[in-house]
Amino acid sequence: MFDFSDLEPGEIRMVAFDLGGVLAYRDLSVLSAEEQNLLLIYQKYMGIKGVNPKDKEFLEYARSKMEEITRKIYKLNREALDVLKMLHYNGIGISLWTNNTPYLNSSLEQVGVLRYIPLENVINSYYLGYDKPNKYFYLKALELLHIRASQILFVDDNRDNLISAKNCGIQTLEYDMSMSLKDSLSFTFERIKQRKVKDLI
């Protein structure tokens, strides 16, 4: 397995992970039928203007339950904390790039992710104003993280998100949760290193 510490400074300074499908997955089976209904309604109508007063009341009720629901449904990839710890102790920065996840921070704290990812490195489109794969999500993320596109590796399970990131000059890794996260990262870091060696020849 590739040792992340073999990377030379300036190659990859940070790894940005998607949340759902990479670092974690959503287990809706833990929700009651009412909670599942509230989540569906909230996701469908969130941000829509012009709903009638009765709907507004129900949406407010749904919104009041979202933090509790979010905390329940997110489960960590079994390798997530080991990978974050490895990156952290090898001096590689870590960021989280996710779409529209309200009440995310309390969930991340609950599962231990915030030990390795500073809150300022959590890029959440819920607050950013742009969703992946909009190119402005990535450009704004790079600006907020004060990093060049070529120095960051973005890991996501959604090909459209990866294509858009790549178009912004960001290095990417397409990940599937049936694979080992540790092995996928190691292979990608090795590929980046070999490509640099080839460029020097």
Side-chain angles (χ1 to χ4, degrees):
M1 180 175 288
F2 180 67
D3 181 353
F4 295 163
S5 63
D6 286 349
L7 276 180
E8 295 175 18
E11 289 180 38
I12 294 293
R13 286 182 45 219
M14 180 174 286
V15 177
F17 294 96
D18 176 42
L19 179 62
V22 178
L23 283 186
Y25 60 95
R26 298 195 327 160
D27 180 7
L28 300 183
S29 69
V30 300
L31 299 180
S32 67
E34 181 197 2
E35 289 171 327
Q36 289 189 30
N37 189 45
L38 288 173
L39 180 62
L40 285 172
I41 288 168
Y42 181 74
Q43 289 175 331
K44 183 175 180 180
Y45 293 104
M46 184 176 63
I48 294 177
K49 296 177 181 176
V51 293
N52 71 51
K54 283 186 181 177
D55 289 342
K56 279 185 181 175
E57 282 180 31
F58 190 72
L59 282 173
E60 280 305 314
Y61 173 66
R63 184 177 287 112
S64 74
K65 293 289 189 180
M66 281 308 107
E67 182 169 7
E68 179 185 338
I69 288 172
T70 301
R71 288 172 70 98
K72 272 188 181 183
I73 62 177
Y74 277 103
K75 310 291 183 187
L76 271 190
N77 178 330
R78 61 186 174 80
E79 291 185 294
L81 290 181
D82 283 345
V83 166
L84 296 180
K85 186 189 290 187
M86 248 187 333
L87 291 169
H88 176 75
Y89 287 117
N90 280 291
I92 296 172
I94 308 166
S95 184
L96 179 68
W97 294 1
T98 185
N99 270 354
N100 284 320
T101 310
Y103 315 113
L104 176 66
N105 294 351
S106 61
S107 297
L108 295 176
E109 190 168 12
Q110 176 185 308
V111 296
V113 167
L114 293 185
R115 277 183 282 167
Y116 305 106
I117 305 178
L119 270 178
E120 61 268 22
N121 286 7
V122 176
I123 310 297
N124 186 349
S125 73
Y126 186 74
Y127 305 107
L128 195 65
Y130 301 104
D131 287 348
K132 297 177 294 181
N134 187 316
K135 71 174 183 179
Y136 292 109
F137 177 97
Y138 305 100
L139 296 175
K140 189 67 177 172
L142 293 171
E143 180 186 324
L144 290 170
L145 294 167
H146 309 290
I147 193 166
R148 292 201 307 271
S150 60
Q151 294 178 318
I152 195 161
L153 174 66
F154 174 48
V155 186
D156 202 317
D157 61 325
N158 183 306
R159 191 161 290 180
D160 289 339
N161 293 343
L162 294 166
I163 290 169
S164 186
K166 197 175 284 188
N167 288 340
C168 293
I170 296 167
Q171 302 198 60
T172 62
L173 164 60
E174 185 173 1
Y175 175 70
D176 183 293
M177 282 194 91
S178 65
M179 301 155 45
S180 161
L181 181 59
K182 198 180 293 184
D183 290 350
S184 299
L185 270 178
S186 294
F187 176 79
T188 303
F189 275 63
E190 183 64 50
R191 191 189 70 212
I192 290 167
K193 185 180 180 185
Q194 292 302 322
R195 188 173 62 215
K196 184 176 181 185
V197 168
K198 198 178 290 184
D199 289 345
L200 291 174
I201 294 173

